[in-house]
Amino acid sequence: MESLKEHDLNYSLDLIFDELILEFIIYHPESDPNEIINRIFEELHNSCDFYKNKLESVHSLESEDENIYEVRPAYNLTAEACSRFKKEEEFHYTASGDKFVNVVFTEKVWQDFFTDQTTTVNHVNWGDDCTFRLTFLRSDNPERNQLISPGDMFYYQIIDETKDAWIMITEIYGNKYLKAKLYKGPAR
């Protein structure tokens, strides 16, 4: 159960986003909404210990499967490997320490299946060089629902392949890159 302090902060952040940020984006269409949101999250990460601790407790930032880089990691994927990735339907990754999350993937849908029997559903849009955007649709996972809302978008690129995993990156905090493993097949 979340504490009153967490509830008040979550409510305040929702209010700020709904009433200030969205209004700013609507009245300033020349501004890039993703850049505005990235700058806000970067500032929160740099100056708000509560936000940083909450984020790190939900998703470990450094592990055997994930690392953060100052410089974008190199793209080493062939077109053939990218085509193979798009045809695979089941993956898994680690989240919150040692918990596995199974992924069922189709050309247009990415579904996360958590160990507590909750799920998350995202829409997939493909770009060039094995890049894709996940648009969050819905979830019954409490941790995901605290951090993301329907319509939130996340950009990824598959950059390499190993025997048992695909290596992907995403930009975080506006100026760093998270490199993570997406293991082939479901967790057993």
Side-chain angles (χ1 to χ4, degrees), residues 161-184:
E161 177 185 19
T162 67
K163 178 182 169 199
D164 61 346
W166 297 95
I167 309 302
M168 64 182 187
I169 60 167
T170 187
E171 189 172 345
I172 59 172
Y173 313 131
N175 62 354
K176 295 181 181 174
Y177 297 91
L178 175 68
K179 182 170 135 179
K181 290 182 180 179
L182 184 60
Y183 290 95
K184 298 174 181 179

Side-chain angles (χ1 to χ4, degrees), residues 132-143:
F132 60 98
R133 180 185 75 213
L134 296 180
T135 303
F136 179 73
L137 299 176
R138 65 184 174 279
S139 180
D140 57 1
N141 181 279
E143 289 179 348

Side-chain angles (χ1 to χ4, degrees):
M1 177 172 222
E2 78 181 341
S3 70
L4 184 59
K5 181 179 176 182
E6 287 180 11
H7 174 75
D8 290 346
L9 179 65
N10 288 335
Y11 176 77
S12 297
L13 289 173
D14 286 345
L15 187 64
I16 289 169
F17 187 81
D18 291 344
E19 302 219 354
L20 299 175
I21 298 169
L22 286 179
E23 188 171 320
F24 180 86
I25 291 169
I26 290 168
Y27 290 107
H28 294 88
E30 73 281 2
S31 300
D32 178 4
N34 290 322
E35 178 64 26
I36 293 167
I37 292 168
N38 279 341
R39 287 177 57 200
I40 290 167
F41 285 128
E42 181 178 2
E43 186 60 32
L44 277 170
H45 185 265
N46 291 335
S47 62
C48 179
D49 289 335
F50 178 81
Y51 174 82
K52 191 184 318 183
N53 291 338
K54 186 71 171 171
L55 181 65
E56 290 175 3
S57 72
V58 172
H59 189 73
S60 172
L61 293 180
E62 295 272 350
S63 72
E64 183 179 314
D65 292 342
E66 299 178 340
N67 292 292
I68 296 175
Y69 296 88
E70 299 286 332
V71 176
R72 183 183 185 92
Y75 179 80
N76 297 315
L77 202 67
T78 65
E80 176 192 352
C82 181
S83 292
R84 279 197 324 275
F85 172 79
K86 290 180 180 181
K87 291 177 185 171
E88 287 195 42
E89 295 180 353
E90 293 185 278
F91 307 97
H92 69 279
Y93 61 92
T94 56
S96 300
D98 61 352
K99 295 180 188 173
F100 286 104
V101 177
N102 282 312
V103 174
V104 174
F105 173 73
T106 66
E107 185 179 343
K108 296 287 183 188
V109 177
W110 174 294
Q111 290 182 281
D112 293 315
F113 293 88
F114 299 90
T115 55
D116 65 358
Q117 307 304 309
T118 59
T119 61
T120 295
V121 179
N122 300 282
H123 182 262
V124 179
N125 283 13
W126 285 99
D128 297 330
D129 294 329
C130 228
T131 60
F132 60 98
R133 180 185 75 213
L134 296 180
T135 303
F136 179 73
L137 299 176
R138 65 184 174 279
S139 180
D140 57 1
N141 181 279
E143 289 179 348
R144 291 288 167 99
N145 282 331
Q146 278 190 343
L147 293 174
I148 52 183
S149 300
D152 286 354
M153 293 181 232
F154 304 91
Y155 297 86
Y156 297 94
Q157 182 178 33
I158 304 300
I159 61 166
D160 209 348
E161 177 185 19
T162 67
K163 178 182 169 199
D164 61 346
W166 297 95
I167 309 302
M168 64 182 187
I169 60 167
T170 187
E171 189 172 345
I172 59 172
Y173 313 131
N175 62 354
K176 295 181 181 174
Y177 297 91
L178 175 68
K179 182 170 135 179
K181 290 182 180 179
L182 184 60
Y183 290 95
K184 298 174 181 179
R188 309 237 185 247

